[in-house]
């Protein structure tokens, strides 16, 4: 009888020991699943893996009617080939973006255009990146008052500063008219010459003796680049009529 009791106690001890071992293995598995490194890898967003970056950092300045061709590209670890799209914003009218990331065309008018592009690769899952760009389209001809039109006795005189911001020489026509209240126009300034590329702030004077009366001064500047069949125009006028009080 004592032998049977001893056998039962031994069996019970063995069962308890095996249960404790099983509990220990289960606890080890839970600790492994809660590993911080494993959790961070599983939660990493797909568009961050590989570090895809869109280049270049900035886009070149252009001006109206100037041919524009720039290729965007990716840098980092990604699966070729990238596909591109305009995500938000607006390109300059006249310039479009292809699926291969090429910006091409010719801007129709001056302005500052801000937009966001998106690129995605051919991986599964896909990697993606976005970047904001600005294209500045500057005036091909810049005209501003150097000496504002003013009355000196029986004359109206003044001057403007003209700049050529393009990479082309242009045939420039500079024309200034004084228009009286009755609509009669008098030429008070005219020049035609080759305005070379990169010219900044060239002063062009004008002036003429005029009869008694009130005159609005109109400045017209036209630049032509024959090789590209491009014509640029700028116009200014005085904010109000100038009164010539001396004279007939």
């Amino acid at each position: 009888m004592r032998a049977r009791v001893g056998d039962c106690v031994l069996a019970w001890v063995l069962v308890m020991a095996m249960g404790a071992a099983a509990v220990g293995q289960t606890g080890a598995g839970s600790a492994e699943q809660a590993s911080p490194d494993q959790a961070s890898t599983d939660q990493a967003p797909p568009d961050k893996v590989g570090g895809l970056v869109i280049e270049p950092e900035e886009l070149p300045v252009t001006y109206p009617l100037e041919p524009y061709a720039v290729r965007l590209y990716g840098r980092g670890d990604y699966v070729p080939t990238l596909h591109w799209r305009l995500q938000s914003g607006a390109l300059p009218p006249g310039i479009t973006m292809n699926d291969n990331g090429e910006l091409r065309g010719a801007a129709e008018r001056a302005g500052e255009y801000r937009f966001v592009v998106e690129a995605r690769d051919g991986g599964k899952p896909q990697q993606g990146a976005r970047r904001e760009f600005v294209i500045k389209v500057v005036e091909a001809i810049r005209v501003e008052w150097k000496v504002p039109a003013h009355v000196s006795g029986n004359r109206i005189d003044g001057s403007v500063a003209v700049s050529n911001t393009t990479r082309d020489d242009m045939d420039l026509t500079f024309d200034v008219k004084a228009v009286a209240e009755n609509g009669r126009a008098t030429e008070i300034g005219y020049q035609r010459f080759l305005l070379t590329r990169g010219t900044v702030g060239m002063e062009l004077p004008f002036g003429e003796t005029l009869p008694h009366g009130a005159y609005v001064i109109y400045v017209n500047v036209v630049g032509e680049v024959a090789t590209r069949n491009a014509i640029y125009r700028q116009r200014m006028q005085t904010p109000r009529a100038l009164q010539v009080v001396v004279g007939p």
Side-chain angles (χ1 to χ4, degrees):
M1 176 64 92
R2 290 180 179 176
R4 290 180 180 177
V5 173
D7 291 342
C8 291
V9 172
L10 179 58
W12 179 82
V13 171
L14 290 174
V15 170
M16 293 299 292
M18 292 175 64
V23 172
Q25 290 176 358
T26 303
S30 300
E32 184 176 348
Q33 291 175 1
S35 169
D37 294 339
Q38 181 67 33
S40 62
T41 300
D42 292 341
Q43 296 173 8
D47 60 349
K48 296 297 183 184
V49 179
L52 173 62
V53 177
I54 294 175
E55 298 285 6
E57 293 185 1
E58 296 182 353
L59 296 177
V61 173
T62 186
Y63 51 89
L65 307 182
E66 164 73 0
Y68 194 82
V70 176
R71 184 72 172 268
L72 305 178
Y73 60 93
R75 175 173 57 81
D77 183 17
Y78 62 91
V79 178
T81 300
L82 293 177
H83 296 278
W84 302 79
R85 74 182 185 96
L86 183 67
Q87 199 272 333
S88 63
L91 295 168
I95 294 179
T96 60
M97 186 176 73
N98 298 329
D99 179 70
N100 63 1
E102 183 180 40
L103 297 166
R104 178 175 290 275
E108 296 175 3
R109 56 180 178 268
E112 186 172 299
Y113 300 87
R114 190 176 300 272
F115 56 95
V116 175
V117 299
E118 180 183 53
R120 290 201 167 271
D121 72 357
K124 294 184 179 181
Q126 284 186 314
Q127 298 181 71
R130 296 176 182 176
R131 187 160 203 161
E132 184 180 63
F133 288 104
V134 176
I135 295 180
K136 294 181 180 180
V137 185
V138 300
E139 294 288 1
I141 302 175
R142 188 168 65 249
V143 182
E144 55 192 354
W145 295 110
K146 181 74 171 180
V147 178
H150 60 280
V151 177
S152 300
N154 62 347
R155 290 178 57 88
I156 291 181
D157 295 284
S159 67
V160 300
V162 178
S163 300
N164 176 3
T165 64
T166 74
R167 291 184 289 272
D168 300 297
D169 298 338
M170 61 178 64
D171 183 7
L172 191 87
T173 301
F174 168 67
D175 179 76
V176 185
K177 287 183 171 60
V179 180
E181 294 172 293
N182 60 6
R184 179 172 54 85
T186 302
E187 192 85 49
I188 65 171
Y190 180 86
Q191 293 187 50
R192 183 176 178 181
F193 61 95
L194 188 68
L195 183 66
T196 58
R197 56 186 175 182
T199 299
V200 177
M202 174 181 285
E203 185 173 6
L204 301 177
F206 60 84
E208 187 59 74
T209 300
L210 295 168
H212 177 275
Y215 298 88
V216 176
I217 309 304
Y218 293 92
V219 177
N220 292 281
V221 178
V222 179
E224 181 178 2
V225 181
T227 55
R228 293 194 292 101
N229 195 30
I231 297 178
Y232 305 103
R233 304 177 187 274
Q234 290 292 335
R235 183 180 182 182
M236 295 194 309
Q237 70 179 71
T238 52
R240 59 184 180 277
L242 302 179
Q243 186 73 45
V244 177
V245 295
V246 178

